[in-house]
Amino acid sequence: MGDKAHAQPGAAGGVPTAGHPSAVRNVVLVGPSGSGKTTLVEALALTAGAVNRAGRVEDGATVSDYDEIERRRRRSVQLSLVPVAWDGCKINLLDTPGYADFVGELRAGLRAADAALFVVSAAQDAATVAATTRAAWEECALVGMPRAIVVTHLDTARTSYREMNRICAEAFGGEDPDAVLPLYLPVLGPEGADGHAPLTGLTGLLSRNVLDYSSGERAERPPAPDQEEPLRAARDRLIEGIIAESEDESLMDRYLGGEDLDVATLIADLERAVARGSFHPVLTAAPAAEGARQGIGTVELLELITRGFPTPLERTPPAVTTPSGKPRPAPVCDPGGPLVAEVVKTASDPYVGRVSLVRVFSGTLRPDDSVHLCGHGLDATGHAPRPCHEAEIRVGALTSPFGRRQHALDRCVAGDLACVARLGEAETGDTLSPADDPVLIEPWSTPDPLLPLAVRAHGKADEDKLSQGLARLVAEDPTLRLEQNPDTGQVVLWCLGEAHQEVALERLRSRYGVQVDAEPHRVPLRETFAGPAAGRGRHVKQSGGHGQFAICEIEVEPLPPGSGVEFVDKVVGGAVPRQFIPSVEKGVRTQAARGLAAGHPLVDVRVTLLDGKAHSVDSSDAAFQTAGALALREAASDARIQLLEPVCEVSVLVPDDYVGPVMSDLSGRRGRVVGTEQSPGGRTLVRAEVPEIEVGRYAVDLRSLSHGTGRFDRAYARHEAMPPQVAARVRAERADGAPGA
């Protein structure tokens, strides 16, 4: 097989294998929901002969969306791998969800890929394209990842290819719009009464030939006379863009001098510029017509991937350290080198168990290998959702996925992707390396989940399975964070959005058999005394035998924020025996932890024990604990108890156009804007302090307010007094069992 990829001959669905990194192309498809990524993967698989018939998203019959949740929702919610073979290369197509709630799956796809196809729909407006894909484009630009753009849905009524190119140049070109140029012009058939003009072919700008698909087969013909002028103008601009990126400085002089440059030279320069990530061609694609063997533009797209996109040999691998954090030399993409591989995705199969999708950066992974598994325990934001873990494990069977099917592999070389079943307790982001020389790959960045979902087991039978199911969910998805809130006692699953919440709950039910109920998320409030107060605790009981006798008198005064509960002993004359003073303090602190007026912990007070009485026989530790608690409750009954709410430091990054609405919205949430800062790319960072009770759903509301272009971070700042009218509402909601408290 040498360095070539090889597809099983004659059988659609045969999975290709690669013997060398030079025969591998890892390509991630990125784009907003509804842009046609999954349909494009189907079209590419059909053209490459991997399937006999392209499935439809509407029917739940595509190779990529094989999960039951995806079939029901008619939308991708997880990363999927579809390998195909073309021109001696194995192409790993990584289909990602387009919805913002599943950006964690997108980040995993970017980690596994060496190049990206940005899929945009001509039927979507400029705001949709820019809002949901620009962040991913900028991430690719930071690491120099090659990118190309594919325009879909051009045959939809009232679409304009020229307008779509302008949108792409503005959204992705940045300061150099000439780096985003089309390679082909669409050829549209006659427009019908509904304004629908079918896409019938493409005109190659470099070859100056029309690729006509109107007959169902791909045929070449010269352009019609009315196509010559737009072809010439677009071709001139493309050639100038290619020459600007060429390493041959004489090309521009020759072109300006009127020389007709060799097409092969231009194509070679184009491919080098694409591989370097400095030029981003725009292509057009459409699924195959009924009965056709290939879609429009799919051959051209496969040719660009195999000839213009880089091999894993040309990618800079991620940095590595020892498990203790000491830097190590970067791995080299060499099948004969030491193993360095990363788990880019984990999933659970009801029959196989946990399945790990692994990208091999160096070495060769084989079944039955003994490897060192190491995980971070810290995510990119510094949280520690689970402890760091290490283990020596044996690799099980290697497979190549194709939808639901898994095809056995005898090895996975550097640069390639494979699935490993039952890889110990492997989690997304873990590293596989030699047992005698372990390393750890730096984690990729993931957004901090900021939308809380409080859950509880539906019944007694679900309680034992709930913690295990939640732990597995978090291990699979780094954008989920699990919290056991010590103040409210709630189990909280932090998510990225409402769709993320729904999928998490559905997976708990369908995948792990755990029936759960969502409940309102409660914010951890506090209580304090608004002014000084006094109380007397009297616990005297005589019911035969040994009685109970304890009396104590206390004084309570408020303290500055952050002081906690301070206990002071000012008893004189032994009114309360010394051995019972700690008992009074314990009773006071226990009652303070339980709360007074609304059941929230009491803080920022000084409790002074002034006097009391004891009995030589009936006084006890338990009696004085009870008396201390009663004294604090009596003091609270005659004083004004103030609710304290947590306040967050919120940082909102939005385009300049949305600064006004965002600041107005924050003010409406009782927020205080403390400053703004200009950020690159025409964006502004708004800093504010907002009560946490007002930002519970801010992740959803900000997305709506900014049309998906804004993002925010928040951190706890302090607790401060809640306004009386808000406190009254919260107490009423707590009494009714509603959210807020």
Side-chain angles (χ1 to χ4, degrees):
M1 191 163 52
D3 65 349
K4 293 294 183 183
H6 174 68
Q8 295 178 10
V15 173
T17 58
H20 193 270
S22 61
V24 178
R25 304 291 186 274
N26 296 310
V27 182
V28 60
L29 282 82
V30 183
S33 183
S35 59
K37 299 183 299 298
T38 299
T39 301
L40 180 59
V41 169
E42 288 291 304
L44 293 172
L46 178 66
T47 299
V51 295
N52 285 324
R53 180 179 178 274
R56 285 163 36 93
V57 174
E58 295 80 0
D59 301 331
T62 62
V63 174
S64 298
D65 293 349
Y66 57 88
D67 187 272
E68 288 304 320
I69 295 176
E70 294 176 314
R71 289 173 181 267
R72 284 195 294 270
R73 292 174 173 265
R74 303 291 189 264
R75 180 173 66 191
S76 300
V77 300
Q78 64 181 7
L79 175 71
S80 62
L81 170 63
V82 178
V84 301
W86 187 263
D87 193 24
C89 291
K90 177 185 180 184
I91 303 174
N92 288 317
L93 298 171
L94 293 151
D95 187 14
T96 64
Y99 201 63
D101 282 12
F102 307 107
V103 68
E105 302 288 325
L106 169 61
R107 298 283 178 89
L110 291 174
R111 180 62 156 232
D114 303 311
L117 283 178
F118 280 74
V119 185
V120 296
S121 170
Q124 293 175 324
D125 58 26
T128 302
V129 173
T132 54
T133 58
R134 186 175 294 174
W137 183 273
E138 292 173 355
E139 286 185 34
C140 294
L142 286 175
V143 298
M145 179 178 284
R147 287 145 284 158
I149 301 150
V150 184
V151 178
T152 60
H153 301 154
L154 256 184
D155 51 359
T156 306
R158 293 179 295 279
T159 57
S160 167
Y161 185 68
R162 179 177 296 179
E163 176 66 11
M164 200 66 235
N165 269 299
R166 184 192 64 78
I167 291 172
C168 290
E170 289 182 357
F172 307 131
E175 298 178 356
D176 186 13
D178 286 337
V180 179
L181 294 172
L183 294 185
Y184 300 88
L185 295 181
V187 178
L188 300 177
E191 187 174 297
D194 59 353
H196 173 85
L199 182 66
T200 61
L202 303 171
T203 302
L205 295 183
L206 293 181
S207 67
R208 288 184 277 202
N209 284 332
V210 174
L211 305 172
D212 191 352
Y213 288 82
S214 58
S215 66
E217 299 291 336
R218 183 173 181 262
E220 290 192 22
R221 62 171 176 81
D226 61 340
Q227 296 174 319
E228 289 285 357
E229 181 55 31
L231 171 60
R232 184 191 61 77
R235 187 175 191 272
D236 288 346
R237 189 178 178 197
L238 174 62
I239 291 175
E240 290 172 4
I242 294 172
I243 291 174
E245 300 296 335
S246 175
E247 298 174 354
D248 186 350
E249 297 180 357
S250 67
L251 276 184
M252 182 60 77
D253 293 335
R254 291 160 53 191
Y255 176 70
L256 294 176
E259 181 179 338
D260 191 8
L261 299 179
D262 180 49
V263 172
T265 300
L266 293 173
I267 292 175
D269 282 338
L270 169 68
E271 292 170 352
R272 282 191 289 268
V274 171
R276 287 197 307 269
S278 60
F279 187 82
H280 316 295
V282 181
L283 296 91
T284 301
E290 188 67 30
R293 284 298 310 163
Q294 58 193 27
I296 298 176
T298 53
V299 171
E300 292 71 32
L301 194 49
L302 290 168
E303 288 177 349
L304 175 71
I305 291 172
T306 55
R307 297 171 60 181
F309 280 176
T311 71
L313 296 167
E314 301 168 73
R315 176 182 177 177
T316 302
V320 298
T321 65
T322 64
S324 61
K326 295 180 180 178
R328 289 289 304 272
V332 178
C333 186
D334 178 7
L339 177 68
V340 178
E342 184 174 29
V343 178
V344 295
K345 176 180 171 57
T346 57
S348 294
D349 185 276
Y351 304 105
V352 181
R354 184 174 295 189
V355 178
S356 303
L357 177 62
V358 174
R359 162 75 193 250
V360 180
F361 289 100
S362 174
T364 299
L365 187 65
R366 293 182 174 86
D368 297 325
D369 280 352
S370 294
V371 299
H372 183 88
L373 174 71
C374 186
H376 284 273
L378 287 179
D379 62 20
T381 61
H383 292 95
R386 48 196 179 273
C388 185
H389 54 276
E390 294 186 62
E392 304 296 324
I393 60 172
R394 183 176 293 278
V395 177
L398 292 183
T399 58
S400 181
F402 194 85
R404 286 189 176 276
R405 302 191 301 273
Q406 298 283 341
H407 298 262
L409 297 175
D410 62 350
R411 57 179 171 165
C412 180
V413 300
D416 205 357
L417 297 161
C419 283
V420 187
R422 300 186 181 92
L423 195 59
E425 293 301 314
E427 300 175 356
T428 300
D430 286 0
T431 303
L432 305 179
S433 57
D436 57 352
D437 187 21
V439 297
L440 187 62
I441 298 178
E442 66 173 0
W444 65 82
S445 63
T446 57
D448 194 17
L450 295 171
L451 186 66
L453 172 67
V455 296
R456 65 171 182 266
H458 180 71
K460 192 73 175 176
D462 300 302
E463 290 181 358
D464 296 336
K465 297 186 290 185
L466 178 59
S467 60
Q468 184 179 16
L470 289 172
R472 288 182 176 177
L473 273 185
V474 173
E476 294 174 7
D477 187 352
T479 59
L480 288 172
R481 177 161 54 88
L482 186 62
E483 173 193 22
Q484 177 78 51
N485 193 301
D487 295 314
T488 64
Q490 288 187 311
V491 176
V492 182
L493 193 63
W494 290 86
C495 307
L496 293 177
E498 290 178 310
H500 201 199
Q501 289 180 341
E502 293 169 3
V503 169
L505 290 177
E506 199 165 346
R507 281 180 174 159
L508 277 175
R509 297 178 185 124
S510 62
R511 188 176 289 178
Y512 302 115
V514 186
Q515 295 296 322
V516 295
D517 296 322
E519 59 182 9
H521 175 247
R522 297 196 296 272
V523 172
L525 304 179
R526 303 282 188 269
E527 297 175 351
T528 194
F529 279 70
R536 184 172 189 264
R538 185 177 185 274
H539 183 60
V540 178
K541 287 188 176 181
Q542 188 67 48
S543 57
H546 188 70
Q548 300 180 53
F549 186 96
I551 298 174
C552 62
E553 296 181 6
I554 64 170
E555 184 179 74
V556 184
E557 56 185 315
L559 291 178
S563 301
V565 177
E566 184 180 323
F567 184 84
V568 178
D569 169 24
K570 285 190 177 181
V571 174
V572 294
V576 177
R578 307 307 302 173
Q579 69 267 28
F580 293 133
I581 289 176
S583 303
V584 176
E585 180 179 359
K586 185 175 182 180
V588 166
R589 291 189 180 277
T590 300
Q591 183 62 53
R594 287 198 295 259
L596 298 168
H600 303 294
L602 180 72
V603 295
D604 302 336
V605 293
R606 178 185 290 123
V607 180
T608 303
L609 178 61
L610 300 174
D611 200 0
K613 291 182 180 180
H615 189 277
S616 59
V617 175
D618 292 340
S619 291
S620 65
D621 169 69
F624 270 99
Q625 284 190 44
T626 303
L630 290 172
L632 188 61
R633 291 211 295 267
E634 181 178 289
S637 66
D638 295 330
R640 185 167 69 88
I641 301 299
Q642 198 169 47
L643 277 184
L644 302 177
E645 61 181 339
V647 175
C648 297
E649 294 177 348
V650 177
S651 299
V652 187
L653 184 65
V654 290
D656 295 342
D657 294 343
Y658 297 106
V659 171
V662 164
M663 293 176 68
S664 176
D665 179 72
L666 291 173
S667 298
R669 298 173 186 270
R670 299 188 285 124
R672 296 183 295 272
V673 176
V674 298
T676 60
E677 300 174 17
Q678 285 300 123
S679 296
R683 289 176 290 187
T684 299
L685 184 68
V686 180
R687 299 187 185 277
E689 293 182 346
V690 189
E692 184 177 337
I693 202 170
E694 303 287 350
V695 294
R697 288 183 51 82
Y698 194 57
V700 177
D701 298 337
L702 177 63
R703 185 179 299 169
S704 175
L705 182 67
S706 65
H707 297 282
T709 60
R711 64 176 186 267
F712 82 105
D713 297 306
R714 78 183 196 189
Y716 170 78
R718 62 188 176 278
H719 272 71
E720 64 179 35
M722 181 181 284
Q725 67 274 16
V726 180
R729 189 191 77 221
V730 169
R731 289 190 178 103
E733 288 173 346
R734 178 177 175 84
D736 295 338

